[in-house]
Amino acid sequence: MGAPPRVAVPDTRELAAQFEDEKPGRSLTGPVGLLVTGTTVGIALLALVQVFQPLPQGSKYYLIIFLAGVLPTVFLAYPAGLSIPWRPGRTPASGDGPDPAGPTRSDWLLAAAALVACLYPVLPFTVGGGGGGYDAFLDRQGLLVGLDVAMGTVLLLLLLEACRRTTGWILPAVCLLFLAYGYYGGLLPQSWPVAHAGLDFGQLVDAFYNSDSGFYGTPLDVAASYIVLFTIYGAVLDLSGAGRFFVELSAAAFRRSRTAAGRTAVASGFLLGTVSGSGAATTVSIGAVTWPVLRRAGYPAERAGGMLAAAGVGAILSPPTLGAAAFIIAEYLGVSYLQVLGWATIPTVLYYLGILLAVEIDARRSGVRPVVVHADSPWRLLGRFGYHFLSLLVITGLLALGVSATKAVVGATVLAAALSFLDRRHRLTPARLVEALGTGARGVLAVSAVCAAAGIITATTTKTGLGPQAAALLVSGAQAVSSDPAVVLALTAVLAAVALTLLGLAVPVTASFVIGWVIIGPALLDLGVAAPAAAMFVFYFAVLSEVSPPTALAAVAAAAVTGGRLVPTMWQTLRYALPAYLIPIAFVITPAGLGLLGIGGPQRVAVAAVVSALGVAVLAVAAGGWLPGVGPAGVPERILGALAGLTLLWLEPVPVTVGAVLAAAVVAGVLVRRGSANRTGEPSATPPVNPGEENSETDQRAAGRGSGGARPRRERRRRLRGQTGRRDEGRRRQRDHLQGH
């Protein structure tokens, strides 16, 4: 048995919740807490049973029951967040204020209404021409009676309110905008490309409530069939101690390296992504542990925050557990989840290559000092707690054997729960197993509400034909600039990237992907982009909303941990995450770019990976102003490096040749600069600092200035001169004292 690890992982859930797409819910206790826990555990068990014993009525019937459990729970678990005006002289009832500790009377009423509206399609008896059971409800598709429309309207309003409570006002506003377009679109001038014949309210409710593209469409199906299982798996893995182990292993692996602090942060972000599906939550978790180490190493708060945010968001982009939108890709394209993981592998490697190069560059440019990370031997940690990796390997192995993603993750969950008994501190006893099931199901409440509400957008787009019309507008905008097909495709990709980034600033990642796929996806497909490339392009830019200013939730979370200034932290995050913005464009603008998704044979894949890695490397040099192993890069070399990186990502023979020549010019320029510095007698690199030397405010300020580490050296020389002067003054006083005697 190894000694207990010394790197602690504090509880950061409350802090992380403040910066996630979803708002933090209530901490419920007492009878209400038991009710919510029982409901969430029931939802979890229903999802697990559905994997092996599906309901005989079909998947839509399961989605109705699933939403009937989720939506009422949202109103109990999430406060309204609204101030209720009270008449003068009247005292509000307990719990009815703007921030109640428990559900209010209105919350209970909304929960009851949600339960009735959700279960109405399976109502076994007839009421006012409606009801009559599930089959009767389906038979009325396109011919809804008044009670059907009324119940569908109630469910529509309740879903909008649930989204407002869990994610804010913007997504409900977007849904209402699409609803208004569907209802009033017939009043637009018919010469406008986005005009349509118009839909009455009953037709819209029918599309939302009684079709396969509305509330019970693919997004909710993914939430109820996949996401809930992966959140349960993450909760089990977390409670079994895996999160603590991953951070400790990262710290131990690099404890003797000069860049140990930065490498630990990056590796922790990658590993913790298997436990947390949120970029902000991962950022806070790794920041709570690694920021003290980064600070001692001399990283300015803003630079450290950028590193933490980029590493945290990278967890959503990394196999084997990608973000929720990855499951929607598999459903939309009709492929296995394993294929989606394969598409994400090379872009993930390139993303972390860019971050690690930036870490190495910052360590030399900013005068980062080695620090001692107190952690056990990595081999001892692996020998004692390495079993936490087994469940991840099981997921990948079962997927490779053709097992469905749902059965693979259930098998991994059972294995993780069993392995927890190898550590007495984290054994999943029956009580803790109930906690894991409840936590996992509660983690899917907000995303389920978002996915159901996304049905408003998808159904409206399908009924009105908005997708092809918007795609035609996007393409025509690019064609107005040039008629060359390659230029049109490149401009369309850039415009689509900008549009997706702006969209992601306003709505959660899952909703951003759904909207982007139905609006922007057709534009890329019309220009000949392969469906996998188009889907992954939309996925990446939907995820990158977490690091894109001015919202950049992961960067905001990192700034809260480090205490750094917000805007500089956001810009540092962009610098670290730069490959994630450029690689998706690379595999869209040219057929050779499909090699980055592992498509097109070994030769295309190898060439695309190597050339793109070179492009990422020279972009890191351009952004950081330093060539690792050589020395600082000046402004000319940085400009050439930026041009070389962008050119190399256009994976065609001529651009690749030009980019390689420019990259060679960058290396030659840095070598010449280093030779000139050596001839003039100036050091070309920052000398190492005593590992035991503590950081100071002067060091931190100096580390954030300049590009060659000159100011940190001047500060150290000034301190040495001061110490020498104090020693000389002490000797003079001692000599005078002796002479006086």
Side-chain angles (χ1 to χ4, degrees):
M1 301 266 307
R6 286 170 284 179
V7 178
V9 181
D11 187 4
T12 57
R13 294 177 186 175
E14 293 184 3
L15 180 60
Q18 301 175 24
F19 306 103
E20 292 180 316
D21 286 333
E22 301 92 15
K23 294 182 178 180
R26 295 181 172 116
S27 296
L28 298 173
T29 57
V32 179
L34 290 176
L35 175 63
V36 170
T37 299
T39 304
T40 52
V41 170
I43 293 170
L45 293 176
L46 175 65
L48 292 170
V49 170
Q50 178 69 11
V51 174
F52 300 99
Q53 292 290 334
L55 296 177
Q57 295 88 344
S59 61
K60 186 173 181 179
Y61 189 92
Y62 164 66
L63 296 181
I64 291 173
I65 303 301
F66 180 84
L67 189 61
V70 165
L71 192 57
T73 309
V74 168
F75 293 110
L76 301 180
Y78 290 84
L82 297 173
S83 297
I84 303 175
W86 296 92
R87 292 193 299 271
R90 180 178 177 183
T91 302
S94 175
D96 281 350
D99 295 306
T104 64
R105 289 189 295 270
S106 59
D107 293 332
W108 287 106
L109 289 174
L110 291 174
L115 184 62
V116 172
C118 289
L119 291 179
Y120 171 78
V122 298
L123 194 68
F125 49 85
T126 303
V127 179
Y134 179 59
D135 292 335
F137 178 75
L138 294 181
D139 290 340
R140 293 195 298 273
Q141 185 173 359
L143 300 169
L144 298 186
V145 298
L147 187 58
D148 296 337
V149 176
M151 286 297 178
T153 303
V154 171
L155 184 55
L156 167 67
L157 296 175
L158 290 172
L159 283 172
L160 293 177
E161 169 62 10
C163 286
R164 187 199 64 79
R165 290 186 178 213
T166 56
T167 64
W169 287 96
I170 297 180
L171 180 58
V174 172
C175 292
L176 289 173
L177 182 63
F178 274 82
L179 180 63
Y181 170 73
Y183 188 73
Y184 293 108
L187 302 179
L188 297 174
Q190 293 301 303
S191 59
W192 290 15
V194 295
H196 60 87
L199 300 169
D200 62 40
F201 190 72
Q203 289 176 304
L204 288 170
V205 172
D206 179 73
F208 300 153
Y209 199 31
N210 201 356
S211 76
D212 293 334
S213 62
F215 301 145
Y216 305 110
T218 299
L220 182 61
D221 189 14
V222 168
S225 302
Y226 296 96
I227 301 175
V228 63
L229 298 177
F230 275 85
T231 57
I232 293 171
Y233 168 64
V236 169
L237 206 58
D238 188 27
L239 286 177
S240 67
R244 175 189 294 269
F245 163 68
F246 290 151
V247 175
E248 291 163 353
L249 180 63
S250 301
F254 304 115
R255 58 181 178 171
R256 295 180 180 177
S257 169
R258 179 179 182 179
T259 54
R263 292 179 181 178
T264 299
V266 175
S268 299
F270 174 74
L271 293 174
L272 277 180
T274 60
V275 180
S276 170
S278 166
T282 306
T283 298
V284 171
S285 298
I286 62 177
V289 177
T290 59
W291 164 234
V293 181
L294 292 169
R295 183 176 58 240
R296 292 203 338 260
Y299 281 93
E302 292 78 14
R303 188 164 293 171
M307 181 194 306
L308 294 172
V313 170
I316 311 178
L317 304 172
S318 306
T321 52
L322 301 175
F327 300 101
I328 302 180
I329 292 176
E331 289 295 308
Y332 277 163
L333 300 186
V335 299
S336 68
Y337 182 60
L338 183 63
Q339 281 188 272
V340 180
L341 295 184
W343 297 340
T345 300
I346 295 178
T348 297
V349 173
L350 295 175
Y351 179 75
Y352 279 100
L353 172 64
I355 296 180
L356 289 173
L357 286 173
V359 168
E360 298 295 326
I361 289 171
D362 285 347
R364 288 151 180 81
R365 177 181 175 184
S366 301
V368 171
R369 59 172 57 86
V371 293
V372 177
V373 179
H374 297 285
D376 279 343
S377 162
W379 300 111
R380 180 179 297 177
L381 285 172
L382 279 173
R384 178 64 183 88
F385 302 106
Y387 58 82
H388 288 299
F389 285 113
L390 291 178
S391 62
L392 296 172
L393 296 175
V394 164
I395 290 180
T396 307
L398 291 178
L399 289 174
L401 293 175
V403 178
S404 66
T406 54
K407 291 182 179 180
V409 71
V410 171
T413 303
V414 172
L415 178 61
L419 292 175
S420 70
F421 286 88
L422 295 177
D423 183 1
R424 67 176 59 186
R425 298 171 301 170
H426 299 99
R427 290 175 180 172
L428 286 183
T429 59
R432 299 187 78 235
L433 183 59
V434 168
E435 179 186 356
L437 292 174
T439 301
R442 182 159 179 168
V444 84
L445 295 180
V447 72
S448 297
V450 168
C451 288
I456 300 171
I457 297 167
T458 56
T460 302
T461 304
T462 301
K463 295 287 286 187
T464 61
L466 177 61
Q469 295 164 347
L473 282 175
L474 187 63
V475 174
S476 63
Q479 290 174 339
V481 178
S482 173
S483 59
D484 183 83
V487 176
V488 170
L489 178 56
L491 288 176
T492 302
V494 172
L495 291 175
V498 173
L500 287 167
T501 302
L502 294 175
L503 177 65
L505 301 180
V507 297
V509 171
T510 305
S512 177
F513 174 81
V514 171
I515 299 171
W517 179 248
V518 299
I519 300 296
I520 294 173
L524 298 174
L525 296 175
D526 289 345
L527 292 174
V529 176
M536 294 300 289
F537 178 90
V538 176
F539 169 72
Y540 273 91
F541 280 100
V543 171
L544 288 173
S545 62
E546 292 212 14
V547 293
S548 299
T551 54
L553 295 177
V556 174
V561 173
T562 64
R565 294 168 295 165
L566 182 56
V567 174
T569 300
M570 289 182 178
W571 289 117
Q572 289 293 334
T573 303
L574 282 179
R575 182 171 69 87
Y576 279 103
L578 183 61
Y581 285 89
L582 299 176
I583 295 300
I585 296 178
F587 58 65
V588 163
I589 60 176
T590 174
L594 287 173
L596 294 175
L597 300 179
I599 299 174
Q603 182 176 355
R604 173 188 278 184
V605 172
V607 171
V610 171
V611 173
S612 297
L614 178 59
V616 168
V618 293
L619 283 171
V621 173
W626 194 282
L627 182 61
V630 181
V635 173
E637 292 86 6
R638 297 177 73 173
I639 294 174
L640 286 177
L643 293 174
L646 295 175
T647 306
L648 285 168
L649 293 179
W650 194 300
L651 297 170
E652 294 293 339
V654 174
V656 167
T657 302
V658 173
V661 171
L662 292 175
V666 171
V667 176
V670 176
L671 288 172
V672 170
R673 185 178 298 276
R674 177 184 179 180
S676 300
N678 289 336
R679 285 194 297 272
T680 58
E682 294 182 5
S684 60
T686 304
V689 184
N690 187 342
E693 182 179 350
E694 290 296 327
N695 190 26
S696 67
E697 290 297 323
T698 302
D699 291 332
Q700 292 188 43
R701 289 193 298 269
R705 302 180 188 139
S707 61
R711 191 174 296 273
R713 291 195 296 274
R714 289 197 296 269
E715 295 290 344
R716 288 194 294 274
R717 287 197 294 269
R718 189 178 298 115
R719 288 200 304 271
L720 290 174
R721 285 196 298 269
Q723 293 170 2
T724 302
R726 287 193 295 272
R727 286 196 298 269
D728 293 341
E729 179 65 22
R731 293 192 186 100
R732 284 194 297 271
R733 290 180 179 178
Q734 184 179 15
R735 190 167 52 250
D736 293 339
H737 177 74
L738 292 175
Q739 290 175 354
H741 283 277

